[in-house]
Amino acid sequence: MDSTAFLLAADLPTPPDWRLLGEHLPYDWIEAALSNSGSATIRRRRLPAEQVVSLVIAMSLYRHRSIRQVVAELDLALPDSDDTCVTDSAVTQARQRLGEDPLAWLFRESAKNWRLQDAERYHFKGLHLLAMDGTTLKLADSAANRAHFDSPSFANDGVASYPHARMVILSVLRTQLVLSAEFGSYAQGEMTYAKLLLSDIPDRSLTVFDSGFLSADFFTTLCADGIDRHFLIPSRVNSKLKLIEGDENDGIVEMKISSEARKKNPALPAHWRVRAIRSIERNGKPTYLLTSLMDKAAYPAQSLQQCYQERWHIETSYREMKQSMMGMALSLRSHSVEATRQEIWGMLIAYNLVRLEMARAAEQAACLPTDISFVLALHTFQFEMMHAAALQAQGNLPGVLKRMRERMIVELNVYRPDRKFDRVAKAKPQRYPERRLRRTLT
């Protein structure tokens, strides 16, 4: 692997030669993120803000390791005169000083720059091919997270075992790079966060949606506020389409806008027109794809149907974030609201870094990024980071051995305060719904 995310502070006593590894996330970007958020470190600390940014990103790449292990094995802490290891409380305080703003700024700025690197390579007939969809994230079970983010509720006043955050992302389909994201309380619907992402959709683009986002107000805003911004979305089962031009396989249809929608936005017309393309689902039922691309010659129906098939790449992105990167863990790590938001921004940056490496490898192999295994790419990324840290540590072997022994002692003598919650057996969340069959009794 030729590049990596983590370029450590330039004032390290023996800085590692990570010039190639810092190609994607330059140190200048990290400095700019800290400067724009007012989080730059003035006092010399063992965990300055630059290192903590790298730590938050690494937390998602190494979810199977404790934060203490991540700091030690990637050698993220600056050495002191005694060459001791960093305590858990020092890491917590460093993350609190940093806050979420530098990670949010760094995610948005890096995603914007990375998208431009492959913009022309993966165009669809001169348009950026994007997708937007929503998901939920399981969070660490704390009173603060439950109060702020909420959690799913069930019949008989039951609630989920873990609090959840709702998230909507805007993704580049053919590289699966996350271009933009909004997240927050589970109580808010996906459309609330989707509207916040409208301004991040670039000009000259085609964005593919799931049918749950079908809204005249949403799509008229999308098309009106930008230059040559278009959408592609399947109709709902109850959608009433009136054919105006063409035929039932590919024609211009008119749909009535509800009085409720017009009351919320008086600027909406009574009807709106879109192009409807007939398609057959896997179960054999016909459906229609609705789009603002009216030119049948420039954008044939078959090519638009193929674009919608590619929408499923965003579903695999969610699987990779929530399963492949999480490993056996069922939730994120952080217990406070600000630390949780900071961790989510770090997770998105970490995911993009792996996806960017896959795009570079695909370019070298003359294949599509989706032809490369994400799990293999993630494991390779993890190994190369550890290998780079190990090479750096070889120059100070006595100090490494001293810290290693101290870590062993600390691990054996972790102070555990009284429990904050009663010991209870929590229901284990299932990754997939269970199908239960009735056994016929004879």
Side-chain angles (χ1 to χ4, degrees):
M1 190 174 68
D2 297 330
S3 57
T4 188
F6 310 111
L7 183 61
L8 295 186
D11 59 346
L12 279 172
T14 54
D17 186 11
W18 285 12
R19 289 169 295 181
L20 292 176
L21 302 182
E23 175 188 349
H24 292 327
L25 199 60
Y27 183 67
D28 292 345
W29 291 5
I30 297 179
E31 279 192 323
L34 298 172
S35 176
N36 280 277
S37 60
S39 301
T41 299
I42 300 177
R43 173 184 167 189
R44 182 174 176 83
R45 302 176 182 271
R46 293 204 62 195
L47 281 173
E50 295 85 356
Q51 313 296 88
V52 184
V53 170
S54 299
L55 168 62
V56 175
I57 299 171
M59 283 167 47
S60 295
L61 290 170
Y62 298 93
R63 182 62 182 90
H64 57 293
R65 282 175 162 79
S66 68
I67 296 179
R68 183 188 299 161
Q69 288 176 314
V70 174
V71 173
E73 293 175 7
L74 292 182
D75 207 13
L76 292 176
L78 299 183
D80 62 359
S81 57
D82 297 329
D83 216 9
T84 57
C85 64
V86 177
T87 62
D88 291 346
S89 61
V91 174
T92 301
Q93 292 170 14
R95 290 186 61 196
Q96 290 173 346
R97 289 193 300 269
L98 181 68
E100 71 162 296
D101 292 342
L103 275 299
W105 188 96
L106 187 59
F107 163 73
R108 295 189 179 100
E109 191 66 21
S110 60
K112 186 188 306 180
N113 282 272
W114 293 338
R115 175 182 64 83
L116 296 176
Q117 294 182 19
D118 296 306
E120 295 183 3
R121 184 183 302 275
Y122 299 109
H123 270 176
F124 167 71
K125 298 184 180 299
L127 301 176
H128 301 288
L129 185 57
L130 312 173
M132 186 183 292
D133 202 4
T135 189
T136 59
L137 299 172
K138 291 188 182 72
L139 311 179
D141 191 10
S142 68
N145 279 345
R146 281 195 180 273
H148 181 83
F149 291 102
D150 207 349
S151 57
S153 57
F154 310 108
N156 301 322
D157 296 327
V159 295
S161 298
Y162 293 84
H164 286 57
R166 194 181 298 279
M167 180 171 70
V168 176
I169 68 171
L170 178 67
S171 173
V172 182
L173 267 184
R174 290 173 177 172
T175 61
Q176 295 181 246
L177 187 79
V178 180
L179 177 59
S180 188
E182 290 288 344
F183 56 88
S185 172
Y186 178 84
Q188 296 291 334
E190 291 182 354
M191 187 60 76
T192 301
Y193 300 109
K195 289 179 179 179
L196 299 176
L197 294 177
L198 277 177
S199 59
D200 295 328
I201 297 177
D203 295 334
R204 289 172 289 279
S205 62
L206 172 63
T207 307
V208 187
F209 296 85
D210 183 68
S211 60
F213 291 92
L214 185 58
S215 163
D217 185 16
F218 183 78
F219 288 119
T220 51
T221 303
L222 185 154
C223 296
D225 289 353
I227 301 173
D228 208 18
R229 300 199 305 180
H230 300 279
F231 63 86
L232 180 66
I233 185 172
S235 64
R236 293 175 179 167
V237 176
N238 59 350
S239 296
K240 296 181 179 180
L241 311 177
K242 181 180 179 182
L243 185 63
I244 302 298
E245 179 185 329
D247 54 45
E248 64 175 7
N249 292 321
D250 189 356
I252 307 300
V253 299
E254 187 176 75
M255 293 187 294
K256 183 179 179 180
I257 299 179
S258 66
S259 56
E260 292 81 2
R262 295 174 62 194
K263 186 180 297 183
K264 294 179 181 178
N265 184 2
L268 289 175
H271 298 82
W272 65 310
R273 293 187 178 186
V274 296
R275 179 181 171 191
I277 300 170
R278 191 171 185 267
S279 180
I280 303 297
E281 297 181 349
R282 292 183 178 181
N283 57 11
K285 294 183 178 180
T287 186
Y288 287 92
L289 293 176
L290 309 180
T291 182
S292 55
L293 293 169
M294 301 295 190
D295 192 336
K296 298 181 182 180
Y299 306 100
Q302 186 175 2
S303 64
L304 291 175
Q305 290 170 344
Q306 179 60 38
C307 283
Y308 183 73
Q309 294 300 320
E310 294 184 42
R311 191 198 74 84
W312 290 103
H313 291 325
I314 196 172
E315 303 288 352
T316 62
S317 294
Y318 285 142
R319 181 191 63 195
E320 290 156 359
M321 290 182 204
K322 297 164 63 175
Q323 296 184 30
S324 300
M325 292 179 66
M326 293 281 286
M328 297 300 294
L330 292 173
S331 70
L332 300 182
R333 304 174 188 255
S334 306
H335 287 75
S336 70
V337 174
E338 186 173 22
T340 297
R341 293 185 61 86
Q342 180 192 77
E343 184 179 352
I344 294 175
W345 290 122
M347 176 193 71
L348 292 170
I349 297 173
Y351 179 78
N352 274 355
L353 284 164
V354 179
R355 273 289 163 195
L356 197 61
E357 280 296 338
M358 295 171 66
R360 297 287 78 78
E363 182 180 350
Q364 182 177 342
C367 67
L368 293 175
T370 52
D371 294 334
I372 298 175
S373 166
F374 178 85
V375 173
L376 177 61
L378 176 63
H379 291 171
T380 305
F381 204 104
Q382 292 168 339
F383 171 80
E384 291 294 339
M385 288 305 308
M386 290 293 185
H387 182 62
L391 289 177
Q392 175 199 355
Q394 288 177 4
N396 184 24
L397 188 57
V400 172
L401 293 176
K402 182 177 182 297
R403 291 196 301 273
M404 179 185 69
R405 293 164 188 155
E406 184 180 352
R407 281 176 53 208
M408 293 180 183
I409 297 173
V410 172
E411 292 287 349
L412 290 174
N413 294 279
V414 176
Y415 172 69
R416 300 198 59 171
D418 295 335
R419 292 184 176 274
K420 296 181 180 179
F421 304 99
D422 294 333
R423 187 190 293 273
V424 294
K426 298 185 67 173
K428 184 177 180 181
Q430 299 296 323
R431 295 194 184 278
Y432 301 98
E434 295 181 354
R435 182 184 181 189
R436 299 185 179 182
L437 304 178
R438 292 192 177 188
R439 180 179 298 176
T440 303
L441 300 178
T442 58

